[in-house]
Amino acid sequence: MPATTTVRLTSAILVGALACGCHSAQHAATLTTSTSTAVSVPPPVPRIAPLPVRPVEKSQPTSPEKCPATNPAAPAPPDSVLVTCDLARTTRYTLGPETMRLGLTHVDAPKPLTADFFQVILTMDPASETAWAAFTAAHLHAHIAFIRDDLVLEAPMIEDQVSSGQIALTTQTAAAAAQLAQLAGRPP
Protein backbone atom coordinates (compact mmCIF):
# COMPACT_ATOMS: atom_id res chain seq x y z
CA MET A 1 0.00 0.00 0.00
CA PRO A 2 1.51 3.43 -0.92
CA ALA A 3 2.49 5.83 1.93
CA THR A 4 -0.21 8.37 1.00
CA THR A 5 -2.91 5.73 1.25
CA THR A 6 -1.63 4.70 4.71
CA VAL A 7 -1.64 8.31 5.95
CA ARG A 8 -5.14 8.93 4.50
CA LEU A 9 -6.45 5.70 5.99
CA THR A 10 -4.90 6.47 9.39
CA SER A 11 -6.30 10.01 9.29
CA ALA A 12 -9.75 8.74 8.30
CA ILE A 13 -9.77 6.22 11.14
CA LEU A 14 -8.63 8.84 13.67
CA VAL A 15 -11.17 11.40 12.45
CA GLY A 16 -13.91 8.74 12.44
CA ALA A 17 -13.10 7.69 16.01
CA LEU A 18 -13.14 11.28 17.21
CA ALA A 19 -16.37 12.10 15.37
CA CYS A 20 -18.27 9.13 16.77
CA GLY A 21 -17.12 9.78 20.32
CA CYS A 22 -15.39 6.40 20.47
CA HIS A 23 -12.14 8.02 21.51
CA SER A 24 -12.16 9.24 25.11
CA ALA A 25 -10.88 12.77 25.66
CA GLN A 26 -9.28 11.58 28.92
CA HIS A 27 -6.76 9.36 27.12
CA ALA A 28 -3.68 10.49 25.25
CA ALA A 29 -4.15 10.44 21.47
CA THR A 30 -1.60 8.55 19.39
CA LEU A 31 -1.02 9.49 15.77
CA THR A 32 0.83 7.15 13.39
CA THR A 33 2.82 8.52 10.49
CA SER A 34 3.59 6.65 7.27
CA THR A 35 6.89 5.46 8.76
CA SER A 36 4.97 3.85 11.67
CA THR A 37 6.38 6.26 14.27
CA ALA A 38 3.91 6.87 17.08
CA VAL A 39 3.55 10.43 18.33
CA SER A 40 1.86 10.68 21.72
CA VAL A 41 -0.18 13.76 22.58
CA PRO A 42 -0.69 14.13 26.37
CA PRO A 43 -4.15 14.91 27.75
CA PRO A 44 -4.74 18.60 28.52
CA VAL A 45 -3.41 19.82 31.87
CA PRO A 46 -6.19 21.24 34.05
CA ARG A 47 -5.81 24.96 34.57
CA ILE A 48 -6.35 26.40 38.02
CA ALA A 49 -6.09 30.07 39.01
CA PRO A 50 -3.01 30.88 41.14
CA LEU A 51 -3.75 30.79 44.87
CA PRO A 52 -2.73 34.00 46.71
CA VAL A 53 -1.07 33.74 50.13
CA ARG A 54 -1.20 36.68 52.55
CA PRO A 55 0.09 37.13 56.11
CA VAL A 56 -2.56 37.44 58.82
CA GLU A 57 -2.06 40.67 60.77
CA LYS A 58 -5.22 40.32 62.87
CA SER A 59 -8.17 37.97 63.24
CA GLN A 60 -11.27 38.20 65.40
CA PRO A 61 -14.66 36.50 65.67
CA THR A 62 -17.46 38.25 63.81
CA SER A 63 -20.93 37.76 62.36
CA PRO A 64 -21.90 37.70 58.68
CA GLU A 65 -23.41 41.20 58.73
CA LYS A 66 -20.07 42.65 59.93
CA CYS A 67 -18.10 41.13 57.04
CA PRO A 68 -17.10 43.51 54.27
CA ALA A 69 -18.59 42.96 50.83
CA THR A 70 -16.35 41.30 48.25
CA ASN A 71 -16.36 41.54 44.48
CA PRO A 72 -14.64 38.61 42.71
CA ALA A 73 -14.64 40.65 39.48
CA ALA A 74 -12.56 43.40 41.16
CA PRO A 75 -10.23 41.75 43.70
CA ALA A 76 -8.11 43.77 46.11
CA PRO A 77 -4.73 44.79 44.68
CA PRO A 78 -2.01 42.28 45.70
CA ASP A 79 0.17 44.99 47.26
CA SER A 80 -2.56 46.39 49.55
CA VAL A 81 -3.94 45.40 52.95
CA LEU A 82 -7.12 43.33 52.71
CA VAL A 83 -9.88 43.26 55.35
CA THR A 84 -12.15 40.29 54.73
CA CYS A 85 -13.80 37.24 56.28
CA ASP A 86 -13.57 33.49 55.98
CA LEU A 87 -16.02 31.43 53.89
CA ALA A 88 -18.31 30.82 56.88
CA ARG A 89 -18.24 34.56 57.69
CA THR A 90 -17.43 33.84 61.35
CA THR A 91 -13.93 35.36 61.45
CA ARG A 92 -12.82 38.79 60.23
CA TYR A 93 -9.21 39.10 59.05
CA THR A 94 -6.82 41.95 58.40
CA LEU A 95 -4.28 40.62 55.91
CA GLY A 96 -1.01 42.08 54.69
CA PRO A 97 0.00 42.30 51.01
CA GLU A 98 0.38 39.04 49.08
CA THR A 99 3.62 37.22 49.80
CA MET A 100 3.25 34.75 46.94
CA ARG A 101 0.87 33.05 44.54
CA LEU A 102 0.91 29.27 44.41
CA GLY A 103 0.44 27.46 41.12
CA LEU A 104 -1.91 24.52 41.59
CA THR A 105 -2.10 21.49 39.32
CA HIS A 106 -4.84 19.53 41.10
CA VAL A 107 -7.49 19.90 43.80
CA ASP A 108 -8.79 16.65 45.29
CA ALA A 109 -12.44 16.11 46.03
CA PRO A 110 -13.22 16.47 49.76
CA LYS A 111 -12.56 13.42 51.91
CA PRO A 112 -13.92 12.81 55.40
CA LEU A 113 -11.21 12.64 58.09
CA THR A 114 -13.55 12.04 61.02
CA ALA A 115 -17.24 12.54 61.63
CA ASP A 116 -16.56 16.26 62.20
CA PHE A 117 -13.81 17.14 59.71
CA PHE A 118 -13.29 17.02 55.95
CA GLN A 119 -10.05 17.55 54.03
CA VAL A 120 -9.25 18.98 50.61
CA ILE A 121 -5.73 18.38 49.22
CA LEU A 122 -4.18 20.98 46.89
CA THR A 123 -1.25 19.85 44.71
CA MET A 124 1.26 22.49 43.60
CA ASP A 125 3.33 22.75 40.44
CA PRO A 126 7.11 22.13 40.87
CA ALA A 127 8.07 25.84 41.05
CA SER A 128 5.44 26.54 43.72
CA GLU A 129 6.43 23.39 45.62
CA THR A 130 10.00 24.68 45.86
CA ALA A 131 8.95 28.24 46.75
CA TRP A 132 6.45 27.01 49.37
CA ALA A 133 9.03 24.71 50.98
CA ALA A 134 11.48 27.63 51.30
CA PHE A 135 8.75 29.99 52.56
CA THR A 136 7.44 27.58 55.21
CA ALA A 137 11.00 26.84 56.41
CA ALA A 138 11.71 30.56 56.79
CA HIS A 139 8.34 31.45 58.40
CA LEU A 140 7.76 28.86 61.11
CA HIS A 141 4.88 29.88 63.42
CA ALA A 142 3.69 32.53 60.96
CA HIS A 143 -0.07 32.92 60.53
CA ILE A 144 -0.96 33.00 56.83
CA ALA A 145 -4.16 32.92 54.78
CA PHE A 146 -5.01 31.27 51.47
CA ILE A 147 -7.28 33.62 49.50
CA ARG A 148 -9.81 33.19 46.71
CA ASP A 149 -12.19 35.93 45.57
CA ASP A 150 -10.95 38.08 48.49
CA LEU A 151 -12.24 35.51 51.00
CA VAL A 152 -10.09 33.43 53.34
CA LEU A 153 -10.26 29.75 52.36
CA GLU A 154 -8.21 28.80 55.40
CA ALA A 155 -5.76 30.60 57.70
CA PRO A 156 -3.33 28.12 59.25
CA MET A 157 -0.25 28.64 61.39
CA ILE A 158 2.91 27.26 59.78
CA GLU A 159 4.06 24.54 62.19
CA ASP A 160 6.66 22.78 60.02
CA GLN A 161 8.34 23.12 56.65
CA VAL A 162 6.03 21.76 53.92
CA SER A 163 8.05 20.05 51.24
CA SER A 164 5.52 17.49 49.98
CA GLY A 165 4.13 19.71 47.23
CA GLN A 166 0.68 19.43 48.78
CA ILE A 167 -1.41 21.55 51.14
CA ALA A 168 -4.20 19.99 53.19
CA LEU A 169 -7.12 22.30 53.97
CA THR A 170 -9.71 21.15 56.51
CA THR A 171 -13.24 22.19 57.35
CA GLN A 172 -16.06 20.90 59.53
CA THR A 173 -18.89 20.15 57.10
CA ALA A 174 -19.20 18.34 53.78
CA ALA A 175 -20.89 21.41 52.24
CA ALA A 176 -18.06 23.71 53.36
CA ALA A 177 -15.47 21.24 52.05
CA ALA A 178 -17.23 21.12 48.66
CA GLN A 179 -17.26 24.93 48.51
CA LEU A 180 -13.58 25.02 49.53
CA ALA A 181 -12.62 22.54 46.78
CA GLN A 182 -14.70 24.40 44.19
CA LEU A 183 -13.13 27.77 45.02
CA ALA A 184 -9.57 26.42 45.32
CA GLY A 185 -9.83 24.63 41.97
CA ARG A 186 -11.41 27.55 40.08
CA PRO A 187 -10.02 28.12 36.58
CA PRO A 188 -8.21 31.37 35.78
Side-chain angles (χ1 to χ4, degrees), residues 49-133:
L51 186 66
V53 179
R54 289 178 177 253
V56 174
E57 295 177 354
K58 182 180 175 184
S59 65
Q60 62 193 40
T62 193
S63 57
E65 62 276 358
K66 293 183 180 176
C67 287
T70 60
N71 181 356
D79 58 349
S80 70
V81 169
L82 173 62
V83 176
T84 190
C85 288
D86 60 342
L87 293 175
R89 299 189 179 281
T90 58
T91 306
R92 183 179 170 117
Y93 293 92
T94 301
L95 307 172
E98 283 182 18
T99 55
M100 64 178 28
R101 286 182 169 229
L102 300 173
L104 303 178
T105 59
H106 185 74
V107 175
D108 287 350
K111 293 185 176 123
L113 292 175
T114 66
D116 298 329
F117 286 96
F118 294 81
Q119 177 175 301
V120 175
I121 302 287
L122 313 179
T123 303
M124 294 175 272
D125 63 29
S128 292
E129 178 181 348
T130 301
W132 183 243

Side-chain angles (χ1 to χ4, degrees), residues 8-184:
R8 284 186 193 145
L9 182 58
T10 302
S11 297
I13 291 170
L14 181 60
V15 168
L18 291 173
C20 78
C22 303
H23 181 77
S24 172
Q26 296 291 350
H27 300 290
T30 302
L31 305 176
T32 306
T33 64
S34 61
T35 59
S36 297
T37 305
V39 179
S40 185
V41 179
V45 176
R47 297 202 31 144
I48 300 172
L51 186 66
V53 179
R54 289 178 177 253
V56 174
E57 295 177 354
K58 182 180 175 184
S59 65
Q60 62 193 40
T62 193
S63 57
E65 62 276 358
K66 293 183 180 176
C67 287
T70 60
N71 181 356
D79 58 349
S80 70
V81 169
L82 173 62
V83 176
T84 190
C85 288
D86 60 342
L87 293 175
R89 299 189 179 281
T90 58
T91 306
R92 183 179 170 117
Y93 293 92
T94 301
L95 307 172
E98 283 182 18
T99 55
M100 64 178 28
R101 286 182 169 229
L102 300 173
L104 303 178
T105 59
H106 185 74
V107 175
D108 287 350
K111 293 185 176 123
L113 292 175
T114 66
D116 298 329
F117 286 96
F118 294 81
Q119 177 175 301
V120 175
I121 302 287
L122 313 179
T123 303
M124 294 175 272
D125 63 29
S128 292
E129 178 181 348
T130 301
W132 183 243
F135 180 84
T136 55
H139 295 89
L140 292 176
H141 310 294
H143 192 187
I144 54 99
F146 299 107
I147 306 299
R148 182 69 83 211
D149 296 342
D150 284 349
L151 290 170
V152 174
L153 296 181
E154 190 168 308
M157 297 287 286
I158 298 172
E159 297 297 327
D160 295 304
Q161 178 184 20
V162 179
S163 56
S164 67
Q166 295 185 325
I167 297 170
L169 304 180
T170 57
T171 189
Q172 292 184 321
T173 67
Q179 181 185 22
L180 183 66
Q182 178 190 17
L183 284 170

